Amino acid sequence: MSYLKEESRPPGRPRDPHREAAILAVVTELLADVGYEGLTFELVARRAGASKPTLYRRWSTKRDMVVAAIRAMPATGNGRTIDTGSLRGDLLELLGILAETLASSDTALVSTLLQAGLSDPELCEHLEVSTGPSGARLPAEVLRHAAERGELPRDAGSFAYDEVVGATMVTRALNALPYDEGYREQLVDSVLLPALRTAATPTHYAGIFSGRIH
Amino acid sequence: MSYLKEESRPPGRPRDPHREAAILAVVTELLADVGYEGLTFELVARRAGASKPTLYRRWSTKRDMVVAAIRAMPATGNGRTIDTGSLRGDLLELLGILAETLASSDTALVSTLLQAGLSDPELCEHLEVSTGPSGARLPAEVLRHAAERGELPRDAGSFAYDEVVGATMVTRALNALPYDEGYREQLVDSVLLPALRTAATPTHYAGIFSGRIH
Amino acid sequence: MSYLKEESRPPGRPRDPHREAAILAVVTELLADVGYEGLTFELVARRAGASKPTLYRRWSTKRDMVVAAIRAMPATGNGRTIDTGSLRGDLLELLGILAETLASSDTALVSTLLQAGLSDPELCEHLEVSTGPSGARLPAEVLRHAAERGELPRDAGSFAYDEVVGATMVTRALNALPYDEGYREQLVDSVLLPALRTAATPTHYAGIFSGRIH
Amino acid sequence: MSYLKEESRPPGRPRDPHREAAILAVVTELLADVGYEGLTFELVARRAGASKPTLYRRWSTKRDMVVAAIRAMPATGNGRTIDTGSLRGDLLELLGILAETLASSDTALVSTLLQAGLSDPELCEHLEVSTGPSGARLPAEVLRHAAERGELPRDAGSFAYDEVVGATMVTRALNALPYDEGYREQLVDSVLLPALRTAATPTHYAGIFSGRIH
DNA sequence: GATTAAGCGAGACGGTACGTCAGGTCTTCAA
DNA sequence: TTGAAGACCTGACGTACCGTCTCGCTTAATC
């Protein structure tokens, strides 16, 4: 009885999910090869053995296509846990991870993710889940451990971290400014630690990288 | 006697500085019209009644040309002084100015400045001087007034402000996240004020927008 | 018992003749709208609410489809009879009719009929029957009347007319050369009349527009 | 003194005539290879090592390009003279030449020439001059010889021939109708000879292929 | 004052990518 | 099996910029 169908299939031949997956794999591959700027619809079509209309049918801009490719990356996670025994150590380790990521990636790609993906909470969440702690967000257990050690009040929030770290580090990376260990220590000591210790106000604004737009 | 000439003029007809100024004016105009992405050498050449070789002779990339245009903007300054009577008030006013700027400007242009210009200390300095307090940097007198009122230690530095404010605000703007008054208050209360009060460490790293790469 | 069936109906759903008629109507309509060159399978499919495979199943080329559409036009005829009282008058009237037709029609359509349709005797016949004397062929009664008046021998044939008139007039039309009354008179006086009067040779070759390939 | 310059060169780099010649050579070559329909801008560009804009700069349609290619063919002429000793023989020889041409050429190309070139007197003239008697026009010496032999009046014109022959033969060729020797004899005997013998009227209309639009 | 080397507007040029369109074929579901 | 819908590959379309080049002219500094 047809009233059971919430939404029936659209008419016509459905899109081939295999094509889609194959294409996005090529996009991922090409991002590594030629970078974001060098990526073109033409090139993707050639390498994927697909036609341009097939691409345009799915994504109308390069950005959309790249974002889809990133979202389609397998969510493996790196399983890393952060626990150095002190809040300061944990923070520095997180910043170190982020620094590594930034150092290795194409800045234009980072820029894309920044501009395209960060306004998309799902993508953000996906990135965090798929790649493990990226250093862009403060994992809840780090906060908990710090509270257990008495380094932070029980109700300390991650706002200061989430908001500040990603924005500053990425901005520095994009502008070829240094974000070496010395810099990171200074950020921890003169901004993050004071801010985290103080902040007891309930947060109404999610951090930039928290994946949830208020 | 030729040894007097430090560097002799190259032979042939010298470049016409008027052409240069006229072209850069067109660039500035076009940036407002079509944005950074939409700007092309072709378009500049057409609008300026110049030829492409004339442009390429001067700037080999679009970025170079745009940076030159921005640097060539007249340095008027807005002459505004910040003095509300309290550090918190001053900070909020500065953030308000920055918010206005971000709200009014083409995000692509901001992005350009971020990517192209901020790695250039001179350009950064120029922007600050030409447009007055932009809110991206903490004016020295604000610090001084706060110290006089006893709100901050004498040796308080602007690192926390310079580093955090520009990066977070611009990043939010680029990603269409809100940076309204509520957000700005939270940034002031839970990050800036605690950080400024604490930071007595001598700063080795200039803030992102301070115009001096360490 | 199935051996009784001379030809059994093919299995499966039979073709809907209404679809066919509707589609051809659309083709006729589109020929007027966008001309032969502008006609595409896509467009026909869209306008007819049909799918491309439905079209391709019936006609494998655009030409086939157009010919089918023309053949499907209702055979009304204009019932006009030619009888001015003199052979010269009759010929000029026929040429006048043809000239009108050529003047009113899309040259591309004429070209189509020329290239696509005229090699198809049935189509040719159909056109003549459906639209009455087109001027492209010499009606038998004109010849008869002329013979009765003694203007032509009894055995005069229509070869010279059929062969020459259509070809010259259409060619002129296609090439934007004039085929006005002066021209038509000259054609009659210096070609058609002398030829018709002389030709007593039994004809082995049907005229171009006679609809019968020898 | 500049007033001597009737028309000064247009500004900018002039088009390279070598490129043009090379491209048109490719067009000619491709016409033989893939025919008119199969000819594309893409293909010409590839084979000529030119870019599409370079082609479009010169000719905005395929037809224009092809006509230019034909016009650019070297005007060698075949030097053939028609003189069999009788008018009938001469006419049959001319028709034979035309039949050969039609048989060997791409019908679409003929169609192109018909539609594109024949409305262009210069092109028409060029074709006649470059390829010798094509059979599409009646050479003046054939008329003269016939008059000398007394087969035709001194003032006989070529209207009947020029007008009739090209149109009928080409039309038959385009429609895959036969134009074999039997047909050609019939055309000569029952149309051309009677018409030529009679026509003494001064001609106001140039024949289709005479290269002069009235 | 003549020479010379460069600046300059204009635009050709080979490329490359754009985004769209049509051609035919194939797949899905419903009739 | 038909039929509507539409995915799909192919390949051409005509346009836009790219960055380089070739023109003929103009403009200074040098000879």
Side-chain angles (χ1 to χ4, degrees):
Chain A
M1 279 172 304
S2 64
Y3 62 83
L4 286 177
K5 297 183 188 173
E6 293 280 315
E7 42 172 339
S8 63
R9 285 250 281 79
R13 176 175 172 180
R15 290 186 188 160
D16 184 348
H18 293 19
R19 296 303 297 113
E20 194 140 336
I23 292 168
L24 292 180
V26 167
V27 172
T28 305
E29 186 187 316
L30 282 174
L31 275 176
D33 277 19
V34 298
Y36 181 78
E37 300 290 342
L39 193 75
T40 68
F41 275 70
E42 293 275 347
L43 198 48
V44 172
R46 272 202 293 276
R47 280 268 262 267
S51 65
K52 283 195 292 175
T54 297
L55 304 186
Y56 279 106
R57 213 173 286 129
R58 291 170 160 78
W59 314 283
S60 59
T61 67
K62 179 160 83 167
R63 213 188 86 169
D64 284 0
M65 186 168 63
V66 169
V67 168
I70 289 166
R71 181 169 295 141
M73 285 174 180
T76 53
N78 58 13
R80 218 189 310 197
T81 51
I82 309 295
D83 192 3
T84 62
S86 76
L87 176 58
R88 188 170 187 276
D90 286 359
L91 293 177
L92 285 173
E93 185 164 351
L94 283 168
L95 287 185
I97 293 174
L98 181 55
E100 266 176 54
T101 307
L102 291 176
S104 65
S105 37
D106 177 9
T107 58
L109 182 53
V110 171
S111 171
T112 302
L113 290 176
L114 204 70
Q115 292 179 41
L118 296 189
S119 62
D120 177 344
E122 279 183 57
L123 175 58
C124 214
E125 197 70 38
H126 174 84
L127 281 173
E128 194 73 8
V129 169
S130 66
T131 59
S134 63
R137 297 166 66 187
L138 186 57
E141 68 260 31
V142 170
L143 270 186
R144 191 165 39 78
H145 293 158
E148 285 165 1
R149 284 189 295 262
E151 293 183 285
L152 289 180
R154 291 263 151 213
D155 59 354
S158 63
F159 173 82
Y161 187 99
D162 291 348
E163 188 59 25
V164 167
V165 169
T168 51
M169 293 284 285
V170 168
T171 302
R172 289 192 87 89
L174 286 179
N175 292 294
L177 295 170
Y179 44 95
D180 54 31
E181 194 164 357
Y183 169 78
R184 301 199 300 269
E185 284 188 10
Q186 188 168 349
L187 193 62
V188 166
D189 292 330
S190 64
V191 179
L192 296 180
L193 284 175
L196 288 171
R197 282 190 200 116
T198 313
T201 0
T203 290
H204 298 293
Y205 294 85
I208 289 176
F209 289 83
S210 66
R212 291 283 166 254
I213 297 180
H214 181 69
Chain B
M1 276 160 325
S2 66
Y3 62 85
L4 286 177
K5 296 182 191 174
E6 293 280 315
E7 42 175 338
S8 65
R9 283 254 280 82
R13 175 178 173 182
R15 289 185 189 161
D16 182 350
H18 294 18
R19 291 310 294 120
E20 195 140 335
I23 292 167
L24 292 179
V26 167
V27 172
T28 305
E29 187 187 315
L30 281 175
L31 275 176
D33 278 17
V34 298
Y36 182 77
E37 300 289 342
L39 193 76
T40 67
F41 275 67
E42 293 275 347
L43 198 49
V44 172
R46 272 202 292 275
R47 279 265 262 271
S51 64
K52 285 197 290 174
T54 299
L55 304 186
Y56 279 104
R57 214 172 285 131
R58 292 170 160 78
W59 314 282
S60 58
T61 68
K62 178 161 82 168
R63 213 191 91 165
D64 285 359
M65 186 169 62
V66 169
V67 167
I70 289 167
R71 182 170 295 143
M73 287 175 180
T76 53
N78 59 13
R80 222 194 298 206
T81 52
I82 309 295
D83 193 2
T84 62
S86 75
L87 176 58
R88 188 171 186 272
D90 286 0
L91 293 177
L92 285 174
E93 185 164 349
L94 282 167
L95 287 185
I97 292 174
L98 181 54
E100 265 176 55
T101 307
L102 291 176
S104 67
S105 44
D106 177 12
T107 57
L109 183 52
V110 171
S111 170
T112 302
L113 293 176
L114 202 69
Q115 292 178 42
L118 296 189
S119 61
D120 176 343
E122 278 184 58
L123 175 58
C124 211
E125 196 69 37
H126 175 84
L127 280 174
E128 193 74 6
V129 168
S130 66
T131 59
S134 63
R137 297 167 66 188
L138 186 58
E141 68 261 30
V142 170
L143 271 185
R144 189 164 39 79
H145 293 159
E148 284 165 3
R149 282 189 296 263
E151 294 182 285
L152 290 180
R154 289 267 152 212
D155 59 354
S158 64
F159 172 82
Y161 187 99
D162 290 349
E163 186 61 24
V164 167
V165 167
T168 53
M169 295 283 285
V170 168
T171 303
R172 290 193 86 91
L174 286 178
N175 292 292
L177 295 170
Y179 45 95
D180 54 30
E181 194 165 357
Y183 169 78
R184 300 197 302 267
E185 285 188 9
Q186 189 168 348
L187 194 61
V188 167
D189 293 328
S190 62
V191 178
L192 297 180
L193 285 175
L196 288 171
R197 283 191 200 114
T198 312
T201 357
T203 289
H204 299 293
Y205 293 86
I208 289 175
F209 288 82
S210 66
R212 290 285 167 253
I213 297 181
H214 182 69
Chain C
M1 276 161 331
S2 66
Y3 62 83
L4 287 177
K5 295 183 189 173
E6 292 281 314
E7 41 173 338
S8 62
R9 281 250 278 80
R13 176 176 169 180
R15 288 190 187 164
D16 183 350
H18 294 18
R19 291 311 293 124
E20 194 140 335
I23 291 168
L24 292 179
V26 167
V27 172
T28 305
E29 187 186 316
L30 281 175
L31 275 176
D33 278 18
V34 298
Y36 181 77
E37 300 290 342
L39 193 76
T40 67
F41 274 68
E42 292 277 345
L43 198 48
V44 173
R46 271 202 294 275
R47 278 268 261 270
S51 64
K52 284 196 291 176
T54 299
L55 304 185
Y56 278 106
R57 216 171 282 131
R58 291 173 160 79
W59 313 283
S60 60
T61 69
K62 178 161 83 169
R63 211 190 92 165
D64 285 359
M65 187 169 62
V66 169
V67 168
I70 289 167
R71 182 170 294 143
M73 286 175 180
T76 54
N78 59 13
R80 220 189 306 200
T81 53
I82 309 295
D83 194 2
T84 61
S86 75
L87 176 58
R88 189 172 187 275
D90 285 358
L91 292 177
L92 286 173
E93 185 164 350
L94 282 167
L95 288 185
I97 292 174
L98 182 54
E100 266 177 53
T101 308
L102 291 176
S104 66
S105 42
D106 176 12
T107 58
L109 183 51
V110 171
S111 170
T112 302
L113 291 176
L114 203 70
Q115 292 180 41
L118 296 189
S119 62
D120 176 345
E122 280 183 57
L123 175 59
C124 213
E125 198 69 39
H126 174 84
L127 280 174
E128 194 73 7
V129 170
S130 66
T131 58
S134 63
R137 296 167 65 187
L138 187 57
E141 67 262 29
V142 170
L143 270 185
R144 190 163 40 79
H145 293 159
E148 286 163 2
R149 283 190 295 261
E151 292 183 286
L152 289 181
R154 290 265 151 212
D155 60 354
S158 64
F159 174 82
Y161 187 97
D162 291 349
E163 187 59 24
V164 167
V165 169
T168 52
M169 294 283 283
V170 168
T171 303
R172 288 192 87 89
L174 286 179
N175 292 292
L177 296 170
Y179 46 93
D180 54 31
E181 195 164 356
Y183 169 79
R184 300 200 299 268
E185 284 189 10
Q186 188 168 347
L187 194 61
V188 166
D189 293 330
S190 63
V191 179
L192 296 181
L193 284 175
L196 288 171
R197 284 192 199 113
T198 312
T201 357
T203 290
H204 298 294
Y205 293 85
I208 289 177
F209 288 83
S210 67
R212 290 284 165 254
I213 296 181
H214 182 69
Chain D
M1 277 169 315
S2 65
Y3 61 83
L4 286 178
K5 294 184 191 174
E6 294 279 315
E7 41 175 338
S8 63
R9 284 249 281 82
R13 176 176 172 179
R15 291 186 188 161
D16 183 350
H18 294 18
R19 293 309 294 118
E20 194 140 336
I23 292 167
L24 292 179
V26 167
V27 172
T28 305
E29 185 188 317
L30 281 174
L31 275 176
D33 278 18
V34 299
Y36 181 78
E37 300 289 343
L39 194 75
T40 67
F41 275 69
E42 292 275 349
L43 198 49
V44 173
R46 271 202 293 276
R47 280 266 262 270
S51 64
K52 282 197 292 176
T54 297
L55 304 186
Y56 280 106
R57 215 173 282 130
R58 291 172 160 78
W59 313 283
S60 59
T61 68
K62 179 161 82 168
R63 214 189 85 169
D64 285 359
M65 186 169 60
V66 169
V67 168
I70 289 166
R71 181 169 295 142
M73 286 176 180
T76 54
N78 58 12
R80 217 187 313 198
T81 53
I82 309 294
D83 194 2
T84 61
S86 75
L87 175 58
R88 188 171 186 275
D90 286 358
L91 293 177
L92 285 174
E93 186 165 349
L94 283 167
L95 288 186
I97 293 175
L98 182 55
E100 266 176 54
T101 308
L102 290 176
S104 67
S105 39
D106 178 9
T107 57
L109 182 52
V110 171
S111 171
T112 302
L113 290 176
L114 204 70
Q115 292 179 40
L118 296 189
S119 61
D120 176 344
E122 279 183 58
L123 175 58
C124 214
E125 198 69 38
H126 174 84
L127 280 174
E128 196 73 7
V129 169
S130 66
T131 59
S134 63
R137 298 167 65 186
L138 187 58
E141 69 261 28
V142 170
L143 270 185
R144 189 163 41 78
H145 293 159
E148 285 164 2
R149 285 189 296 261
E151 293 183 286
L152 288 182
R154 291 264 152 212
D155 60 354
S158 64
F159 173 82
Y161 187 97
D162 290 350
E163 187 60 24
V164 168
V165 168
T168 53
M169 293 285 282
V170 168
T171 303
R172 289 192 87 89
L174 286 179
N175 293 292
L177 294 170
Y179 46 93
D180 53 31
E181 193 164 358
Y183 169 79
R184 300 200 300 268
E185 285 188 9
Q186 189 168 347
L187 193 62
V188 166
D189 293 330
S190 63
V191 178
L192 296 180
L193 285 174
L196 287 172
R197 283 188 200 115
T198 313
T201 1
T203 290
H204 298 293
Y205 292 85
I208 289 177
F209 289 83
S210 66
R212 290 285 167 252
I213 297 182
H214 179 71

